[in-house]
Amino acid sequence: MSYRLLRVDKEEPGLKERNYLGLSDCSSVDSSTIPNVDKSNLNFKATELRLGLPESQSSERETDFGLLSPRTLDEKLLFPLLPCKDNASATTGHKNVVSGNKRGFADTWDEFSGVKGSVRPGGINMMLSPKVKDVPKSIQDERSQAKGGGLNNAPAAKAQVVGWPPIRSYRKNTMASSTSKNTDEVDGKPGLGALFVKVSMDGAPYLRKVDLRTYTSYQQLSSALEKMFSCFTLGQYGLHGAQGRERMSEIKLKDLLHGSEFVLTYEDKDGDWMLVGDVPWEIFTETCQKLKIMKGSDSIGLAPGAVEKSKNKERV
Amino acid sequence: MNYFPDEVIEHVFDFVTSHKDRNAISLVCKSWYKIERYSRQKVFIGNCYAINPERLLRRFPCLKSLTLKGKPHFADFNLVPHEWGGFLLPWIEALARSRVGLEELRLKRMVVTDESLELLSRSFVNFKSLVLVSCEGFTTDGLASIAANCRHLRDLDLQENEIDDHRGQWLSCFPDTCTTLVTLNFACLEGETNLVALERLVARSPNLKSLKLNRAVPLDALARLMVCAPQIVDLGVGSYENDPDSESYLKLKAAIKKCTSLRSLSGFLEAAPHCLSAFHPICHNLTSLNLSYAAEIHGSHLIKLIQHCKKLQRLWILDSIGDKGLEVVASTCKELQELRVFPSDLLGGGNTAVTEEGLVAISAGCPKLHSILYFCQQMTNAALVTVAKNCPNFIRFRLCILDPTKPDHVTSQPLDEGFGAIVKACKSLRRLSLSGLLTDQVFLYIGMYANQLEMLSIAFAGDTDKGMLYVLNGCKKMKKLEIRDSPFGDTALLADVSKYKTMRSLWMSSCEVTLSGCKRLAQKAPWLNVEIINENDNNRMEENGHEGRQKVDKLYLYRTVVGTRMDAPPFVWIL
């Protein structure tokens, strides 16, 4: 089975392979993310929370922080969702993934080096704050690249402020499900309400909600989820031995993924758990009821498209 | 003070129902305090962490009705993580242990679990009324316990909760002997409904006055239900998806005509507009109409419906009604007291359906208007000044301009003068939400004039700490202050620490307060819980000196008599 990813190329006629996970061109810092950048710390590479590959880039980061983990650490991928792209680094990443059915998310994060921005609380918290004055040049560059890639659609790329307008998510979700039925009567408006789904993660103390309509691709979604949940893996380390909070700043995501892998799954309308990334993004948003970041070991057997409810030990 | 025996005084107190009045009574003298506390049956707790159940029960052992509010208001807008707190279970456990005769429970923004619902259902023999608003954490299994075990259940009212619908049979868990239902509202459930069980339940509930269905109830079922319950006063029709040529629709029309007690209507999630006419015969009786989920209803059908509703007191609508539609409301609904206009296009795509003109029209046409929530794209100072002149009786005034820092669209000035006019004219104003471009000036006005203001919501407003200081110094009755994305910092936060003793809570997110400022506050005010919510950046929690200058992303502080809460999750740091 080959999971080939090709770029979305709207100019080409005929059969097109879809880049469902929107890897190639977009950086994580598309125009829907305006990190509140602390300009005194432009060492983005150092601060970014990445789902790195066992490659030179990550090694660099390790040096920066003097981490204890071995260089040879098989950097497990947080969201091994995707089939490999056809280039060398991706293939390497793929081979490191445990099972043949697993796919690597490796390459997504390659593009993001240098632009992930500060560690100011972000996640889905994309601020349209008047305080954000300038965005460092590197981010602007990436953004223009992203636009060239053509994977950002204008409506969702518009910066969304968390919690604004002040409307309950219940209302947003209800309106979304109502208006989706009669779109032919609506005069071509692309916008529907929000679509909040719960996201839980194995071992995390709490779950979050994300509005799927603020993303236009799997890549954006993963990027946001990564930001949101990185603190959990940090927290776990804290629980396991670190005293209080002193060690937090030195712990990096990948250290905690020793021997474990996380997979992003979703529950569809029929109540079945599927791997994220199988279907076109639009269909995914229509069928996804919940998201769950599972430990890889629990999701073995969740082949793409498989219906393996019984394999999930946990009740969601 | 006591010329009468205690029993007489107690009897007098029975007529005093408002909790504010009751609180005042209890302060008069020790004797009244004692009489009042033993006779109080309804207790309102605005912040579940201000007190704990044990102390509550010590003071009010004869408690029958409890209202609890959990998460801060901004949790409604996704600003507070789900696991922040507000757990119901400890309360139920304590109440159950104490064997208090609980009959009513009203919860808002609490985390309710199936376990707590089951415990609730088994612990209080006379339990009658459960009202859940904006709660989460439970499933239809919890509802099944309530249905099965609460023999005298009168009200089951679920408003806008997030309930995991297991598509189970909770409705059939009501025993055949259950005939006492007065309120049944399950509009927020997403799943299929057991229609047979529902119809039988309604048929055996002669006292049923309020029935709000979810979207899964088809038209023919609705028709049958209305035939069973012609005494219905408050009806939520669910999706109301229908075909005007069908037999069901004809039956429905006939059934509606018989519902002469119907006063309140809601639902219509999928409604085909031309089927609204079925309700025209009873519209002249309606006092409350909620079409805020009816995305499909607009234009002439909506107008026609409203033109029949001359006695309307409460109207919740979408902005697709337009300024013209609001003018119709203004000329028809002379009894209107409360209006809410919600945005229909939630991505803010530039739909200018309602503007300041609609608001002015309403203010001119509806002299009894006292509460308004208005989402719009644009506003002017002139319009607000006019509104203030037309309606000096506002109690609640909430204006949300969708672009958070938009100025007066005619003069490009901040909206300070407009809101200033509102607070100056509306001497009874208790709740105010601001939006648009605003400077410190508006807060000066608020501090000067808004003497009765209890709740103020601020977003993207102000220039300096002075703004917040004007409010803290001026608004003597302030209870809840919530601020986001405004440049207020430590100076304002710390200026008058004792002020927070008189307030229920303060929320500040994405402002300029720093960690060291919060720490200083916590030190000065041990009777406050100062919570820092840090979801993503654990580095923030550093104890180092220089880290103290880091800005706090979310601050929530509230007075409490029971100290630091024990159930805070790791991302909440209580100073």
Side-chain angles (χ1 to χ4, degrees), chain A residues 119-122 127 131 158 160-171 174-175 178-179 182 191-192 196 205-209 231 245 249 290 315, chain B residues 76-78 82-83 134 160 162 166 188 215 269 292-293 295-296 342-343 346-348 375 400-402 459 484-485 510 512 535-537 539-541 571:
Chain A
V119 292
R120 182 136 168 88
M127 299 304 293
K131 294 179 295 194
K158 175 174 150 186
Q160 299 257 329
V161 182
V162 169
W164 193 269
I167 298 174
R168 285 186 184 163
S169 11
Y170 172 82
R171 177 172 288 280
T174 308
M175 293 299 288
S178 301
T179 52
N182 289 320
L192 303 174
F196 284 94
Y206 62 84
L207 53 79
R208 302 295 301 272
K209 263 200 219 164
C231 58
R245 302 168 178 108
S249 56
K290 279 185 198 161
R315 192 174 113 78
Chain B
D76 278 348
F77 317 130
N78 244 17
H82 286 259
E83 287 69 9
S134 266
E160 302 198 347
E162 306 228 339
H166 288 171
C188 59
R215 62 164 85 230
L269 282 80
S292 64
Y293 289 102
E296 307 305 318
F342 292 96
L346 290 168
L347 284 186
F375 283 84
C400 181
I401 301 168
L402 289 163
R484 63 168 293 183
D485 295 276
S510 306
E512 302 286 317
E535 301 173 66
N536 295 331
D537 186 11
N539 291 338
R540 182 91 12 116
M541 309 291 225
F571 57 87

Coordinates of all heavy atoms in Angstrom, one line a residue, chain A residues 119-122 127 131 158 160-171 174-175 178-179 182 191-192 196 205-209 231 245 249 290 315, chain B residues 76-78 82-83 134 160 162 166 188 215 269 292-293 295-296 342-343 346-348 375 400-402 459 484-485 510 512 535-537 539-541 571:
Chain A
V119 N 6.7 31.1 22.8 CA 5.9 30.2 23.6 C 4.8 30.8 24.4 O 4.3 30.3 25.4 CB 6.8 29.3 24.5 CG1 7.7 28.5 23.7 CG2 7.6 30.3 25.4
R120 N 4.5 32.0 24.0 CA 3.4 32.7 24.7 C 2.2 31.9 24.5 O 2.0 31.4 23.5 CB 3.3 34.1 24.1 CG 2.2 34.9 24.8 CD 2.7 36.3 25.1 NE 1.6 37.2 25.4 CZ 1.1 37.4 26.7 NH1 1.7 36.8 27.7 NH2 0.1 38.2 26.9
P121 N 1.4 31.8 25.5 CA 0.2 30.9 25.4 C -0.6 31.2 24.1 O -1.0 32.3 23.8 CB -0.7 31.3 26.6 CG 0.3 31.8 27.6 CD 1.5 32.4 26.8
G122 N -0.6 30.2 23.3 CA -1.3 30.4 22.0 C -2.2 29.3 21.8 O -3.3 29.3 22.3
M127 N -4.7 35.7 18.6 CA -5.1 37.0 19.1 C -5.1 38.0 18.0 O -4.2 38.2 17.3 CB -4.2 37.4 20.2 CG -4.2 36.5 21.4 SD -5.8 36.2 22.1 CE -6.1 37.8 22.7
K131 N -2.2 44.8 20.5 CA -0.8 44.9 21.0 C 0.2 44.3 20.1 O 1.4 44.6 20.2 CB -0.7 44.2 22.4 CG -1.5 44.8 23.5 CD -1.3 44.1 24.7 CE -2.0 42.7 24.6 NZ -2.2 42.0 25.9
K158 N -8.6 34.3 7.8 CA -8.8 35.6 8.5 C -8.6 35.3 10.0 O -9.0 34.4 10.6 CB -10.2 36.0 8.3 CG -10.6 37.3 9.0 CD -12.0 37.6 8.5 CE -12.8 38.3 9.6 NZ -14.2 38.6 9.2
Q160 N -8.8 34.9 13.7 CA -9.9 34.7 14.5 C -9.5 34.9 16.0 O -8.5 34.4 16.4 CB -10.4 33.2 14.4 CG -10.9 32.9 13.0 CD -12.4 32.9 12.9 OE1 -13.0 32.6 13.8 NE2 -12.9 33.2 11.7
V161 N -10.3 35.7 16.7 CA -9.9 36.0 18.0 C -10.7 35.0 18.9 O -11.9 34.8 18.7 CB -10.4 37.4 18.4 CG1 -10.0 37.7 19.8 CG2 -9.7 38.4 17.4
V162 N -10.0 34.4 19.9 CA -10.7 33.5 20.7 C -11.8 34.2 21.5 O -11.6 35.3 22.0 CB -9.7 32.8 21.7 CG1 -10.5 32.1 22.8 CG2 -8.8 31.9 21.0
G163 N -13.0 33.6 21.6 CA -14.0 34.1 22.4 C -14.6 35.4 21.8 O -15.3 36.1 22.6
W164 N -14.4 35.6 20.6 CA -15.0 36.8 20.0 C -15.6 36.5 18.7 O -15.0 35.8 17.9 CB -14.0 38.0 19.8 CG -14.7 39.2 19.6 CD1 -15.0 39.8 18.3 CD2 -15.2 40.1 20.5 NE1 -15.7 40.9 18.5 CE2 -15.9 41.2 19.8 CE3 -15.3 40.2 21.9 CZ2 -16.5 42.3 20.5 CZ3 -15.9 41.2 22.6 CH2 -16.5 42.3 21.8
P165 N -16.8 36.9 18.3 CA -17.8 37.6 19.2 C -18.2 36.7 20.3 O -18.2 35.5 20.3 CB -18.9 37.9 18.2 CG -18.9 36.9 17.2 CD -17.4 36.6 17.0
P166 N -18.6 37.4 21.4 CA -19.0 36.6 22.6 C -20.3 35.9 22.5 O -21.4 36.3 22.8 CB -19.1 37.7 23.7 CG -19.4 39.0 22.9 CD -18.8 38.8 21.6
I167 N -20.2 34.7 21.9 CA -21.4 33.8 21.7 C -21.0 32.5 22.2 O -20.0 32.0 22.0 CB -21.7 33.8 20.2 CG1 -22.0 35.1 19.6 CG2 -22.8 32.8 19.9 CD1 -22.2 35.2 18.2
R168 N -22.0 31.9 22.9 CA -21.7 30.5 23.4 C -21.5 29.5 22.3 O -22.1 29.5 21.3 CB -23.0 30.1 24.2 CG -23.1 30.8 25.5 CD -24.3 30.2 26.3 NE -24.5 30.9 27.5 CZ -25.6 30.9 28.2 NH1 -26.6 30.1 27.8 NH2 -25.7 31.5 29.3
S169 N -20.6 28.6 22.6 CA -20.3 27.6 21.6 C -21.5 26.8 21.3 O -21.7 26.3 20.2 CB -19.1 26.7 22.0 OG -18.8 26.8 23.3
Y170 N -22.4 26.6 22.3 CA -23.6 25.9 22.0 C -24.4 26.5 20.9 O -24.8 25.9 19.9 CB -24.5 25.9 23.3 CG -25.9 25.3 23.0 CD1 -26.1 23.9 23.0 CD2 -26.9 26.1 22.7 CE1 -27.3 23.4 22.8 CE2 -28.2 25.6 22.4 CZ -28.4 24.2 22.5 OH -29.6 23.7 22.2
R171 N -24.5 27.8 20.9 CA -25.2 28.6 19.9 C -24.5 28.4 18.5 O -25.1 28.2 17.5 CB -25.3 30.0 20.3 CG -26.0 30.9 19.2 CD -26.3 32.3 19.8 NE -27.4 32.3 20.7 CZ -28.6 32.3 20.4 NH1 -29.0 32.3 19.1 NH2 -29.6 32.2 21.3
T174 N -25.0 24.9 17.2 CA -26.4 24.7 16.7 C -26.6 25.4 15.4 O -27.3 24.9 14.5 CB -27.4 25.3 17.8 OG1 -27.0 24.7 19.0 CG2 -28.8 24.9 17.4
M175 N -26.2 26.6 15.3 CA -26.4 27.4 14.1 C -25.7 26.7 12.9 O -26.1 26.6 11.8 CB -25.9 28.8 14.2 CG -26.6 29.7 15.2 SD -28.3 29.8 14.7 CE -28.2 30.9 13.3
S178 N -27.6 23.8 11.7 CA -28.8 24.2 11.0 C -28.5 24.7 9.6 O -29.1 24.3 8.6 CB -29.5 25.3 11.8 OG -29.8 24.8 13.0
T179 N -27.6 25.6 9.5 CA -27.4 26.3 8.2 C -26.7 25.4 7.2 O -26.9 25.6 6.0 CB -26.5 27.6 8.4 OG1 -25.3 27.2 9.1 CG2 -27.2 28.6 9.2
N182 N -29.2 24.0 4.3 CA -29.8 24.7 3.2 C -28.9 25.7 2.5 O -29.3 26.8 2.3 CB -31.1 25.5 3.8 CG -32.1 24.5 4.2 OD1 -32.4 23.5 3.4 ND2 -32.8 24.7 5.3
G191 N -19.3 31.2 4.9 CA -19.2 31.0 6.3 C -20.4 30.3 6.9 O -21.5 30.6 6.6
L192 N -20.1 29.4 7.7 CA -21.1 28.8 8.6 C -20.7 29.1 10.0 O -19.6 29.7 10.2 CB -21.2 27.3 8.4 CG -21.4 26.9 7.0 CD1 -21.3 25.3 6.9 CD2 -22.8 27.3 6.5
F196 N -17.4 23.2 17.0 CA -16.5 22.9 18.1 C -16.6 21.4 18.4 O -17.6 20.8 18.5 CB -16.9 23.6 19.4 CG -16.5 25.0 19.4 CD1 -17.4 26.0 19.0 CD2 -15.3 25.4 19.8 CE1 -17.0 27.3 19.0 CE2 -14.9 26.7 19.8 CZ -15.8 27.7 19.4
P205 N -4.8 15.7 31.7 CA -5.7 16.0 32.8 C -7.0 16.7 32.3 O -8.0 16.7 33.0 CB -5.0 16.9 33.7 CG -4.0 17.6 32.9 CD -3.6 16.6 31.8
Y206 N -7.0 17.2 31.1 CA -8.2 17.8 30.7 C -8.4 17.8 29.2 O -7.4 17.6 28.5 CB -8.4 19.3 31.2 CG -7.4 20.3 30.7 CD1 -7.5 20.9 29.5 CD2 -6.3 20.6 31.5 CE1 -6.6 21.8 29.1 CE2 -5.4 21.5 31.1 CZ -5.5 22.1 29.9 OH -4.6 23.1 29.5
L207 N -9.6 18.0 28.8 CA -9.8 18.0 27.3 C -10.0 19.5 26.9 O -10.3 20.4 27.6 CB -10.9 17.1 26.9 CG -12.3 17.3 27.6 CD1 -13.0 18.4 27.0 CD2 -13.1 16.0 27.3
R208 N -9.9 19.7 25.6 CA -10.0 21.0 25.0 C -11.1 20.9 23.9 O -11.5 19.8 23.6 CB -8.7 21.4 24.4 CG -7.5 21.5 25.4 CD -7.7 22.5 26.4 NE -7.9 23.8 25.8 CZ -6.9 24.6 25.6 NH1 -5.7 24.3 25.8 NH2 -7.1 25.8 25.0
K209 N -11.4 22.1 23.5 CA -12.3 22.1 22.3 C -11.6 22.9 21.2 O -11.0 23.9 21.5 CB -13.5 22.9 22.7 CG -14.6 22.0 23.2 CD -15.9 22.8 23.1 CE -16.8 22.5 24.2 NZ -17.8 23.5 24.4
C231 N 1.8 21.1 26.5 CA 2.0 21.3 27.9 C 1.7 20.0 28.7 O 2.1 19.9 29.8 CB 1.1 22.4 28.4 SG -0.6 22.1 28.0
R245 N 7.9 22.8 39.6 CA 8.0 23.3 38.2 C 9.3 23.7 37.7 O 9.5 24.2 36.7 CB 7.1 24.6 38.2 CG 5.7 24.3 38.6 CD 4.9 25.6 38.8 NE 3.5 25.3 39.2 CZ 3.0 25.4 40.4 NH1 3.8 25.9 41.4 NH2 1.8 25.1 40.6
S249 N 11.0 24.1 32.2 CA 11.5 24.8 31.0 C 12.5 24.0 30.3 O 12.7 24.3 29.1 CB 12.1 26.1 31.5 OG 13.1 25.9 32.4
K290 N -15.6 14.0 17.5 CA -14.7 14.2 18.6 C -13.3 13.8 18.1 O -13.1 13.0 17.2 CB -15.0 13.2 19.7 CG -16.1 13.5 20.6 CD -16.1 12.5 21.7 CE -17.4 12.6 22.4 NZ -17.8 11.4 23.2
R315 N -13.3 4.2 27.3 CA -14.6 4.7 26.9 C -14.4 6.2 26.8 O -13.9 6.9 27.6 CB -15.6 4.4 28.0 CG -17.0 4.6 27.6 CD -17.9 4.2 28.7 NE -18.6 5.3 29.3 CZ -19.7 5.8 28.8 NH1 -20.1 5.5 27.7 NH2 -20.3 6.8 29.5
Chain B
D76 N -18.2 30.8 28.9 CA -19.1 30.6 27.8 C -18.5 30.8 26.5 O -19.0 30.4 25.5 CB -20.3 31.6 27.9 CG -21.3 31.2 28.9 OD1 -21.3 30.0 29.3 OD2 -22.2 32.0 29.3
F77 N -17.4 31.6 26.4 CA -16.8 31.9 25.2 C -15.4 31.2 25.0 O -14.5 31.8 24.4 CB -16.6 33.5 25.0 CG -17.8 34.2 25.5 CD1 -17.7 35.3 26.4 CD2 -19.1 33.8 25.0 CE1 -18.9 35.9 26.8 CE2 -20.3 34.5 25.5 CZ -20.1 35.6 26.4
N78 N -15.3 30.1 25.6 CA -14.1 29.3 25.4 C -12.8 29.9 26.0 O -11.8 29.5 25.6 CB -13.9 29.1 23.9 CG -14.0 27.6 23.6 OD1 -14.5 26.8 24.3 ND2 -13.4 27.3 22.4
H82 N -11.9 23.5 30.2 CA -13.1 22.8 30.8 C -12.8 22.3 32.2 O -13.8 22.2 32.9 CB -13.3 21.6 29.8 CG -14.0 22.0 28.6 ND1 -15.3 21.9 28.4 CD2 -13.5 22.6 27.5 CE1 -15.6 22.3 27.2 NE2 -14.5 22.8 26.6
E83 N -11.6 21.9 32.5 CA -11.4 21.3 33.8 C -11.0 22.3 34.8 O -10.5 21.9 35.9 CB -10.3 20.3 33.6 CG -10.7 19.0 32.9 CD -10.9 19.3 31.4 OE1 -10.6 20.4 30.9 OE2 -11.4 18.3 30.7
S134 N -26.1 25.9 30.7 CA -24.7 25.9 30.3 C -23.8 25.0 31.1 O -22.6 25.4 31.4 CB -24.1 27.4 30.5 OG -24.3 28.1 29.3
E160 N -29.2 24.8 27.0 CA -27.9 25.0 26.3 C -26.8 24.3 27.0 O -25.7 24.9 27.2 CB -27.7 26.5 26.2 CG -28.7 27.3 25.5 CD -28.3 28.6 24.9 OE1 -27.3 29.2 25.4 OE2 -29.1 29.2 24.1
E162 N -24.0 21.0 27.3 CA -23.3 20.1 26.4 C -23.5 18.7 27.0 O -22.8 18.4 28.0 CB -21.8 20.4 26.4 CG -21.6 21.9 26.1 CD -20.5 22.0 25.0 OE1 -19.7 21.1 24.8 OE2 -20.5 23.1 24.4
H166 N -26.2 9.6 24.4 CA -26.0 8.2 24.1 C -27.1 7.5 23.4 O -27.1 6.3 23.2 CB -25.7 7.4 25.4 CG -24.4 7.8 26.0 ND1 -24.0 7.4 27.3 CD2 -23.3 8.5 25.5 CE1 -22.7 7.8 27.5 NE2 -22.4 8.5 26.5
C188 N -31.6 20.8 24.0 CA -30.2 20.8 23.7 C -29.7 19.4 23.4 O -28.5 19.3 23.1 CB -29.4 21.5 24.8 SG -29.6 20.7 26.4
R215 N -34.2 18.7 18.2 CA -34.4 18.8 16.8 C -34.9 17.4 16.2 O -35.3 17.4 15.1 CB -33.2 19.3 16.1 CG -32.0 18.4 16.3 CD -30.9 18.8 15.2 NE -30.1 19.9 15.7 CZ -29.9 21.0 14.9 NH1 -30.4 21.1 13.7 NH2 -29.1 22.0 15.3
L269 N -35.6 25.2 14.4 CA -34.2 25.2 13.9 C -34.1 25.0 12.4 O -33.2 25.5 11.8 CB -33.4 24.1 14.6 CG -33.0 24.4 16.0 CD1 -34.1 24.2 17.0 CD2 -31.8 23.5 16.4
S292 N -34.1 32.8 17.8 CA -32.7 33.0 17.6 C -31.9 31.8 17.1 O -30.7 31.9 16.8 CB -32.1 33.5 18.9 OG -32.1 32.5 19.9
Y293 N -32.6 30.7 16.9 CA -31.9 29.6 16.3 C -32.6 29.3 14.9 O -32.2 28.3 14.3 CB -32.0 28.3 17.2 CG -31.1 28.4 18.4 CD1 -31.7 28.7 19.6 CD2 -29.8 28.3 18.3 CE1 -30.9 28.9 20.7 CE2 -29.0 28.4 19.4 CZ -29.5 28.7 20.6 OH -28.7 28.8 21.7
A295 N -32.5 29.9 11.7 CA -31.7 30.5 10.6 C -32.5 30.6 9.3 O -32.1 31.4 8.5 CB -30.4 29.6 10.4
E296 N -33.5 29.8 9.2 CA -34.2 29.8 7.9 C -35.3 30.8 7.8 O -35.9 30.9 6.8 CB -34.8 28.4 7.7 CG -33.8 27.3 7.8 CD -32.6 27.5 6.9 OE1 -32.8 27.9 5.7 OE2 -31.4 27.3 7.3
F342 N -29.2 38.4 17.8 CA -27.9 37.6 17.7 C -27.4 37.6 16.2 O -28.2 37.8 15.3 CB -28.2 36.1 18.1 CG -28.5 35.9 19.5 CD1 -29.8 35.9 20.0 CD2 -27.4 35.8 20.4 CE1 -30.1 35.7 21.3 CE2 -27.7 35.7 21.8 CZ -29.0 35.6 22.2
P343 N -26.1 37.5 16.0 CA -25.6 37.5 14.7 C -25.9 36.2 14.0 O -25.8 35.1 14.6 CB -24.1 37.6 14.9 CG -23.8 37.1 16.2 CD -25.1 37.3 17.0
L346 N -21.8 34.0 11.7 CA -20.9 34.0 12.8 C -19.4 34.2 12.5 O -18.6 34.3 13.3 CB -21.0 32.7 13.7 CG -22.4 32.7 14.4 CD1 -22.7 31.4 15.0 CD2 -22.4 33.8 15.5
L347 N -19.1 34.1 11.2 CA -17.7 34.4 10.8 C -17.5 35.9 10.6 O -16.5 36.3 10.2 CB -17.3 33.6 9.6 CG -17.1 32.1 9.9 CD1 -16.5 31.4 8.6 CD2 -16.1 32.0 11.0
G348 N -18.6 36.7 10.8 CA -18.4 38.1 10.7 C -18.1 38.5 9.3 O -17.3 39.3 9.0
F375 N -26.2 42.6 18.8 CA -25.0 42.4 18.0 C -25.2 43.1 16.7 O -26.2 42.9 16.0 CB -24.8 40.9 17.7 CG -24.3 40.1 18.8 CD1 -25.2 39.5 19.8 CD2 -22.9 39.8 18.9 CE1 -24.7 38.8 20.8 CE2 -22.5 39.0 20.0 CZ -23.3 38.5 20.9
C400 N -22.8 44.6 21.3 CA -21.6 44.0 20.8 C -21.4 44.3 19.4 O -22.1 43.8 18.5 CB -21.7 42.5 21.0 SG -20.2 41.7 20.4
I401 N -20.5 45.2 19.1 CA -20.1 45.5 17.8 C -19.1 44.5 17.3 O -18.1 44.3 18.0 CB -19.5 46.9 17.7 CG1 -20.5 47.9 18.2 CG2 -19.1 47.3 16.3 CD1 -20.0 49.3 18.5
L402 N -19.4 43.8 16.2 CA -18.6 42.6 15.9 C -17.2 42.9 15.6 O -16.3 42.0 15.9 CB -19.3 41.9 14.7 CG -20.6 41.3 15.1 CD1 -21.5 41.0 13.9 CD2 -20.4 40.0 15.9
A459 N -14.1 44.7 26.7 CA -13.2 44.0 25.8 C -12.5 45.0 24.9 O -13.2 45.8 24.3 CB -14.0 43.0 25.0
R484 N -11.2 41.8 29.1 CA -10.3 41.1 28.3 C -9.6 42.1 27.3 O -10.2 43.0 26.9 CB -11.0 40.0 27.5 CG -12.0 40.5 26.6 CD -12.5 39.3 25.7 NE -11.4 38.9 24.8 CZ -11.5 38.0 23.8 NH1 -12.7 37.4 23.7 NH2 -10.5 37.7 23.0
D485 N -8.3 41.8 27.0 CA -7.6 42.5 26.0 C -7.7 44.0 26.2 O -8.0 44.7 25.2 CB -8.2 42.1 24.6 CG -7.9 40.7 24.3 OD1 -6.8 40.4 23.9 OD2 -8.8 39.8 24.6
S510 N -5.5 38.7 29.1 CA -4.8 39.4 28.1 C -4.7 40.9 28.4 O -4.9 41.7 27.5 CB -5.4 39.2 26.7 OG -5.5 37.8 26.4
E512 N -2.6 43.8 31.2 CA -1.2 44.1 31.5 C -0.8 43.7 32.9 O 0.3 44.1 33.4 CB -0.9 45.6 31.3 CG -1.3 46.1 29.9 CD -0.3 45.7 28.8 OE1 0.9 45.7 29.1 OE2 -0.7 45.3 27.8
E535 N -2.6 27.9 30.6 CA -2.8 26.7 29.9 C -1.5 26.1 29.2 O -1.3 25.0 29.1 CB -3.9 26.8 28.9 CG -5.2 27.2 29.5 CD -6.2 27.5 28.5 OE1 -6.6 26.5 27.8 OE2 -6.6 28.6 28.3
N536 N -0.8 27.0 28.6 CA 0.2 26.5 27.6 C 1.6 26.7 28.0 O 2.5 26.0 27.6 CB 0.0 27.2 26.3 CG -1.4 26.8 25.7 OD1 -1.8 25.7 25.9 ND2 -1.9 27.7 24.9
D537 N 1.8 27.7 28.8 CA 3.2 28.0 29.1 C 3.6 27.7 30.5 O 3.4 28.6 31.3 CB 3.5 29.4 28.7 CG 5.0 29.7 28.7 OD1 5.8 28.7 28.9 OD2 5.4 30.8 28.7
N539 N 6.4 27.7 31.7 CA 7.5 28.5 32.1 C 7.0 29.7 33.0 O 7.7 30.2 33.8 CB 8.2 29.0 30.9 CG 8.9 27.9 30.2 OD1 9.2 26.9 30.8 ND2 9.2 28.1 28.9
R540 N 5.8 30.0 32.7 CA 5.2 31.2 33.4 C 5.3 31.0 34.9 O 5.3 31.9 35.7 CB 3.8 31.4 32.9 CG 3.1 32.5 33.5 CD 3.2 33.8 32.7 NE 3.8 33.7 31.4 CZ 3.1 34.0 30.3 NH1 1.8 34.3 30.4 NH2 3.6 33.9 29.2
M541 N 5.3 29.8 35.3 CA 5.1 29.5 36.7 C 6.4 29.6 37.5 O 6.5 29.3 38.7 CB 4.6 28.0 37.0 CG 3.4 27.7 36.1 SD 1.9 28.6 36.7 CE 0.8 27.3 36.7
F571 N -3.1 23.4 35.9 CA -2.8 24.6 35.1 C -3.3 25.9 35.8 O -3.2 27.0 35.3 CB -3.3 24.5 33.7 CG -4.8 24.2 33.6 CD1 -5.7 25.2 33.6 CD2 -5.2 22.9 33.5 CE1 -7.1 25.0 33.6 CE2 -6.6 22.6 33.5 CZ -7.5 23.6 33.5

